[in-house]
């Protein structure tokens, strides 16, 4: 996999690519096989197809449970062999003829939730889970088989969200957003929690939210997002040390009276 944290994401992939062909760029990837642990492999770079740009992967999310998923200890029914993966950041290197907005060189966020184009209820998590229906398993076993733990990936056009604001990388002290690769990719996690909290009505002011368990990767992020949305939070869990770290980290910014731990 590419070293996400050392790449210069402010440098665009060249926008003029007349000589670019898949055969000229061998792609390093990680394959999950039926009987072995994930292995490093080389494979042809994906070809351009309608509805799916090819990107150079810059950063990829890794779940805490990834080892259990890819060694088969969790029955997530991924096809094998395949390229695992998750949500990612990348630079577009080529687009199909049906792309009217995204262009080579654009920085994009790739959503890991893939859906059938003629049945949005058939959904799966790219490189993570084949979903719960025969239709979702068919989707992830064919067009969605290969995900983003690879140097060059083909991703769904509808999952490619542009991050092309000119002030994206400028320091906040200079009026910019101050993002780096880590922070930008983490927005994908935060959006999941924001959507869930917004769906239950959080954000109207005066809310009090109980988050349990609050000590995992998503639970801790939920505490952060709930506080940012103006709610007071009761964070619950069995690990007192992690709960105290949460409280001591967020209390100075949001106020000691807005976060309690149990």
């Amino acid at each position: 996999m590419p070293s996400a944290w050392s790449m210069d994401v402010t440098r665009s992939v060249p926008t003029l690519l007349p000589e670019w062909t898949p055969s000229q760029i061998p792609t390093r990837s990680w394959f999950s096989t039926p009987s072995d642990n994930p292995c490093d492999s080389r494979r042809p770079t994906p070809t351009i197809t309608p509805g799916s740009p090819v990107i150079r992967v810059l950063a990829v999310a890794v779940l805490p449970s990834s080892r259990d998923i890819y060694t088969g200890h969790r029955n997530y029914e991924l096809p094998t062999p395949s390229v695992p993966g998750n949500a990612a950041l990348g630079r577009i290197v080529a687009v199909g003829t049906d792309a009217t907005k995204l262009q080579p060189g654009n920085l994009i966020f790739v959503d890991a939730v893939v859906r059938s184009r003629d049945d949005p209820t058939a959904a799966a998590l790219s490189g993570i889970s084949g979903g719960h229906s025969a239709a979702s398993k068919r989707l992830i076993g064919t067009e969605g088989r290969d995900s983003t733990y690879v140097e060059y990936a083909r991703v769904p056009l509808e999952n490619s969200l542009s991050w092309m604001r000119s002030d994206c990388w400028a320091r906040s002290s200079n009026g910019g957003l101050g993002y780096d690769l880590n922070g930008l990719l983490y927005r994908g996690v935060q959006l999941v929690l924001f959507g869930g909290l917004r769906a239950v009505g959080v954000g109207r002011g005066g809310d009090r939210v109980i988050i349990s368990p609050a000590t995992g990767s998503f639970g801790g992020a939920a505490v952060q997002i709930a506080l940012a949305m103006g709610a007071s939070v009761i964070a619950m869990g069995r690990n007192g040390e992690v709960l105290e770290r949460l409280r001591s980290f967020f209390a100075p910014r949001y106020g000691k009276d807005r976060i309690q731990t149990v």
Side-chain angles (χ1 to χ4, degrees), residues 30-40 67-68 70-73 84:
W30 291 81
F31 274 84
S32 179
T33 64
S35 57
D36 302 322
N37 289 333
C39 60
D40 189 1
R67 182 185 298 274
D68 288 342
Y70 301 134
T71 55
H73 289 86

Side-chain angles (χ1 to χ4, degrees), residues 38-147:
C39 60
D40 189 1
S41 178
R42 284 195 175 271
R43 59 196 297 268
T45 298
T47 55
I48 309 165
T49 60
S52 298
V54 174
I55 68 167
R56 181 186 181 189
V57 178
L58 299 176
V60 189
V62 179
L63 292 174
S65 55
S66 291
R67 182 185 298 274
D68 288 342
I69 294 172
Y70 301 134
T71 55
H73 289 86
R74 295 197 180 197
N75 187 25
Y76 280 12
E77 297 190 42
L78 282 171
T80 53
S82 63
V83 178
N86 203 330
L89 291 174
R91 291 275 186 192
I92 293 179
V93 296
V95 295
T97 55
D98 60 338
T100 59
K101 183 177 181 180
L102 295 179
Q103 300 294 326
N106 287 170
L107 175 68
I108 63 168
F109 173 80
V110 181
D111 187 3
V113 180
V114 292
R115 299 182 184 275
S116 170
R117 287 169 176 163
D118 60 355
D119 178 12
T121 64
L125 292 175
S126 175
I128 301 171
S129 170
H132 303 289
S133 68
S136 65
K137 289 177 173 59
R138 178 184 175 190
L139 174 66
I140 211 71
T142 52
E143 188 65 23
R145 173 179 289 269
D146 293 336
S147 191

Side-chain angles (χ1 to χ4, degrees), residues 56-254:
R56 181 186 181 189
V57 178
L58 299 176
V60 189
V62 179
L63 292 174
S65 55
S66 291
R67 182 185 298 274
D68 288 342
I69 294 172
Y70 301 134
T71 55
H73 289 86
R74 295 197 180 197
N75 187 25
Y76 280 12
E77 297 190 42
L78 282 171
T80 53
S82 63
V83 178
N86 203 330
L89 291 174
R91 291 275 186 192
I92 293 179
V93 296
V95 295
T97 55
D98 60 338
T100 59
K101 183 177 181 180
L102 295 179
Q103 300 294 326
N106 287 170
L107 175 68
I108 63 168
F109 173 80
V110 181
D111 187 3
V113 180
V114 292
R115 299 182 184 275
S116 170
R117 287 169 176 163
D118 60 355
D119 178 12
T121 64
L125 292 175
S126 175
I128 301 171
S129 170
H132 303 289
S133 68
S136 65
K137 289 177 173 59
R138 178 184 175 190
L139 174 66
I140 211 71
T142 52
E143 188 65 23
R145 173 179 289 269
D146 293 336
S147 191
T148 53
Y149 287 178
V150 64
E151 289 177 311
Y152 290 86
R154 184 172 61 215
V155 298
L157 190 62
E158 61 269 28
N159 286 48
S160 306
L161 309 176
S162 177
W163 283 98
M164 291 306 294
R165 287 186 55 162
S166 59
D167 59 351
C168 193
W169 307 109
R171 295 181 181 275
S172 55
S173 58
N174 295 329
L177 298 177
Y179 287 135
D180 58 14
L181 270 179
N182 290 337
L184 200 57
L185 187 58
Y186 190 55
R187 295 298 180 269
V189 175
Q190 293 174 319
L191 285 172
V192 173
L193 285 315
F194 174 80
L197 290 166
R198 186 67 178 269
V200 297
V202 176
R204 296 169 296 184
D207 300 306
R208 177 162 295 207
V209 179
I210 297 175
I211 297 175
S212 177
T215 53
S217 56
F218 276 91
V223 171
Q224 177 189 23
I225 297 304
L227 288 168
M229 295 174 71
S232 297
V233 173
I234 300 174
M236 301 179 66
R238 293 180 292 179
N239 191 323
E241 181 181 349
V242 175
L243 287 173
E244 176 55 27
R245 288 211 307 266
L246 276 174
R247 190 200 63 76
S248 61
F249 185 81
F250 290 123
R253 178 167 185 174
Y254 295 103

